[in-house]
């Protein structure tokens, strides 16, 4: 069986084609910097013996639809393609960011499911529209395939009520479902499981830090999520590429009441113009690193603010878990940015967190241990693989 997985992030599309049940990746790819004139597509084809064959293109991609069209052209390309005919794909697994309370589990997509994904647009404006577009495009390109949704919110359904409820009048929860949902669940679940296996400790207490364009922290004990930093929508918690993270709602009241912002302007401000972009004028961490190296004061402050917020969540979640076995860094920034990891762990020796800076600076594939030998808490870099986890969940749904 061929399973094609589409993972639309806010600034990227990742995809992988798997042969199942071998769990063998046939090709994978990444479309980055969507919305910029210098978007790139990196497409890798895996062959049994050799290193993967890589094709890289730089082009202008105005939106996710243009990106997906390029991906499908590559999949069936005469030179680099891996499919003769799109009909060879039997299952398409889609990452869907917001599933609300309707979808706690992996779900076969039908019109009703699509309507619910659309109903949740306002709560995840950077993601659900791109996710639904991916589904519509995939239905046209792979009309015979089963389309399956795997929700970012699903892993967080184990949150206890004292963690998922807000201190708001009860009716807003019971009638309007205003509560913490949490996001990046597929990634937190995948890296938590990888870390527990690596540590040989199925009941490990972990803080997992997904630091991509969107960023979130999760407190995981024995594979169950106990708390997470994103909430009703993917906006609270850590500082992100273009999103604020935690913000006093008084600021929103002030903007609306005193400065005349509309709800739509507030949404654009908080989702698209804030975070690292608001602080520095740049949202891609690689660009901000360059600015920092050139001594840019705004980039220095933004790095400090970003790392300080992570540090606070590590402390909070160590308390929520009643102890800590490991801190896990993952996603674009978490896997690649040694300075973020160093700053985020600074001053946490009292919790048993101590980095081995030489290891922190290494760039090796696979799971890496970057804490000092003998430190009470392990610090790990665990590459995420949301696509593999999505494919597993699709296969599990089909197996019944
Ligand atoms: N080598 C690197 N060093 C620092 N940051 C990196 C590196 N590679 C990727 N990133 C950062 O990772 C972020 C994107 O992460 P990713 O997990 O792909 O995001 P998303 O899935 O949310 O689109 C960007 O801010 C990018 O700059
Ligand atoms: C939920 C979310 O923020 O996703 P991403 O990091 O892929 O933008
Ligand atoms: Mg992502």
């Amino acid at each position: 069986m061929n399973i094609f997985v589409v993972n639309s992030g806010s600034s990227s599309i990742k995809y992988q084609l798997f042969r199942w049940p071998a769990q063998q990746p046939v090709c994978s790819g990444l479309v980055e910097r969507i919305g910029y004139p210098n978007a790139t597509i990196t497409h890798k084809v895996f062959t049994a013996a050799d290193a993967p064959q890589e094709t890289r293109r730089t082009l202008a991609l105005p939106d996710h639809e243009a990106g997906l069209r390029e991906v499908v052209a590559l999949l069936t390309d005469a030179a680099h393609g891996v499919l003769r005919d799109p009909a060879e794909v039997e299952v398409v697994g889609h990452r869907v960011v917001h599933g609300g309370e309707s979808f706690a589990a992996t779900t076969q997509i039908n019109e009703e499911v699509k309507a619910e994904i659309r109903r949740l647009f306002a709560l995840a404006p950077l993601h659900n529209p791109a996710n639904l577009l991916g589904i519509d495009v995939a239905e046209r390109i792979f009309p015979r395939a089963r389309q399956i949704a795997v929700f970012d919110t699903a892993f967080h359904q184990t949150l206890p009520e004292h963690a998922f409820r807000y201190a708001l009048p009860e009716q807003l929860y019971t009638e309007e479902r205003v509560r913490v949902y949490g996001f990046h669940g597929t990634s937190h679940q995948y890296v938590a499981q990888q870390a527990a296996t690596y540590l040989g400790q199925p009941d490990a207490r972990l803080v997992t830090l997904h630091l991509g364009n969107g960023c979130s922290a999760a407190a995981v004990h024995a594979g169950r999520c106990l708390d997470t930093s994103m909430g009703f929508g993917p906006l609270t918690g850590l500082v992100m590429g273009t999103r604020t993270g935690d913000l006093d709602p008084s600021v929103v009241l002030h903007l609306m009441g005193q400065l005349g912002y509309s709800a739509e302007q507030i949404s654009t401000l908080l989702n698209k113009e804030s975070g690292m972009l608001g602080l520095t004028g740049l949202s891609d961490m690689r660009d901000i690193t360059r600015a920092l190296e050139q001594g840019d004061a705004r980039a220095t402050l933004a790095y400090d603010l970003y790392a300080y917020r992570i540090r606070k969540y590590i402390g909070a979640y160590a308390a929520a878990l009643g102890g800590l076995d490991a801190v896990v860094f993952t996603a674009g920034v978490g896997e690649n940015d040694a300075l973020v990891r160093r700053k985020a762990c600074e001053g946490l020796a009292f919790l048993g967190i101590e980095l081995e800076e030489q290891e922190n600076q290494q760039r090796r594939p696979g799971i890496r241990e970057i804490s000092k030998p003998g430190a009470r808490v392990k610090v790990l870099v665990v590459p995420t693989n949301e696509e593999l986890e999505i494919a597993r969940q699709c296969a599990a749904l089909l197996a019944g």
Side-chain angles (χ1 to χ4, degrees):
M1 176 165 76
N2 284 312
I3 305 182
F4 182 60
V5 176
V6 186
N7 169 0
S8 295
S10 47
S11 70
S12 67
I13 301 172
K14 297 178 183 125
Y15 58 91
Q16 277 194 62
L17 179 69
F18 294 96
R19 295 247 196 278
W20 219 262
Q23 306 202 10
Q24 186 196 348
V26 180
C27 73
S28 73
L30 169 64
V31 189
E32 283 182 286
R33 296 180 192 256
I34 292 174
Y36 291 87
N38 60 342
T40 57
I41 303 187
T42 313
H43 179 76
K44 286 184 193 164
V45 177
F46 301 99
T47 50
D50 312 312
Q53 285 174 357
E54 193 171 300
T55 319
R56 199 177 158 84
R57 288 185 191 164
T58 302
L59 68 178
L61 290 175
D63 52 30
H64 283 71
E65 173 145 25
L68 269 176
R69 298 212 168 277
E70 287 297 324
V71 169
V72 172
L74 274 170
L75 285 179
T76 50
D77 179 271
H80 314 287
V82 287
L83 296 173
R84 262 167 293 134
D85 186 339
E88 291 168 28
V89 170
E90 284 118 314
V91 178
V92 184
H94 296 269
R95 173 185 182 214
V96 179
V97 163
H98 212 316
E101 267 202 340
S102 314
F103 304 116
T106 301
T107 303
Q108 175 127 357
I109 297 169
N110 56 27
E111 289 308 312
E112 214 176 298
V113 174
K114 290 205 290 183
E116 183 63 11
I117 295 169
R118 185 186 300 281
R119 206 181 59 74
L120 294 162
F121 272 12
L123 301 188
L126 301 183
H127 300 90
N128 272 35
N131 301 153
L132 187 60
L133 183 94
I135 293 169
D136 284 336
V137 174
E139 283 177 340
R140 269 181 265 139
I141 297 165
F142 308 107
R144 290 186 34 216
R146 288 177 196 236
Q147 311 281 337
I148 293 175
V150 177
F151 296 93
D152 260 39
T153 40
F155 179 59
H156 303 300
Q157 288 289 317
T158 54
L159 255 58
E161 194 162 358
H162 63 253
F164 78 67
R165 283 283 295 276
Y166 292 117
L168 285 168
E170 188 179 22
Q171 175 206 357
L172 280 173
Y173 170 59
T174 52
E175 290 175 22
E176 303 297 332
R177 311 325 272 174
V178 175
R179 52 161 289 177
V180 169
Y181 289 101
F183 301 89
H184 295 133
T186 309
S187 178
H188 288 293
Q189 179 176 14
Y190 178 80
V191 297
Q193 199 219 323
Q194 292 281 109
T197 305
Y198 173 87
L199 297 168
Q201 226 179 318
D203 61 349
R205 291 179 157 86
L206 306 169
V207 174
T208 51
L209 297 161
H210 178 105
L211 310 177
N213 187 44
C215 303
S216 65
V220 182
H221 183 201
R224 284 170 68 82
C225 188
L226 298 186
D227 206 347
T228 191
S229 61
M230 283 176 163
F232 185 55
L235 200 48
T236 48
L238 306 180
V239 177
M240 314 185 205
T242 62
R243 284 167 264 168
T244 49
D246 288 335
L247 179 78
D248 180 349
S250 313
V251 175
V252 174
L253 297 177
H254 177 72
L255 294 174
M256 293 182 101
Q258 309 299 316
L259 302 181
Y261 277 63
S262 67
E264 200 182 320
Q265 285 171 321
I266 298 265
S267 173
T268 303
L269 175 78
L270 303 184
N271 280 294
K272 298 186 180 170
E273 298 171 353
S274 298
M276 298 304 264
L277 180 68
L279 290 166
T280 67
L282 303 164
S283 70
D284 191 296
M285 215 55 167
R286 287 163 289 199
D287 298 334
I288 301 168
T289 308
R290 264 190 293 278
L292 183 88
E293 285 164 359
Q294 288 160 7
D296 184 304
R298 294 196 303 171
T300 308
L301 171 69
Y303 251 89
D304 287 344
L305 211 153
Y306 183 98
Y308 175 62
R309 188 74 57 82
I310 297 171
R311 207 152 67 227
K312 284 208 288 191
Y313 271 91
I314 294 173
Y317 286 174
L321 290 162
L324 193 55
D325 295 302
V327 174
V328 177
F329 285 92
T330 195
V333 177
E335 290 167 34
N336 293 299
D337 197 320
L339 183 61
V340 161
R341 294 191 298 254
R342 176 159 70 74
K343 282 179 174 281
C345 293
E346 243 162 38
L348 295 182
F350 77 98
L351 280 179
I353 298 171
E354 290 177 89
L355 277 200
E356 179 71 50
E357 191 48 29
Q358 232 177 348
E359 282 303 316
N360 184 35
Q361 297 288 343
Q362 294 288 327
R363 290 185 168 276
R364 261 182 283 109
I367 300 183
R368 294 192 287 125
E369 195 171 317
I370 60 171
S371 38
K372 283 208 160 90
R376 206 152 22 92
V377 173
K378 302 260 191 230
V379 182
L380 305 176
V381 178
V382 179
T384 194
N385 194 338
E386 290 168 294
E387 295 75 34
L388 177 59
E389 186 61 39
I390 288 169
R392 280 182 188 158
Q393 299 198 15
C394 290
L397 177 76
L398 293 176

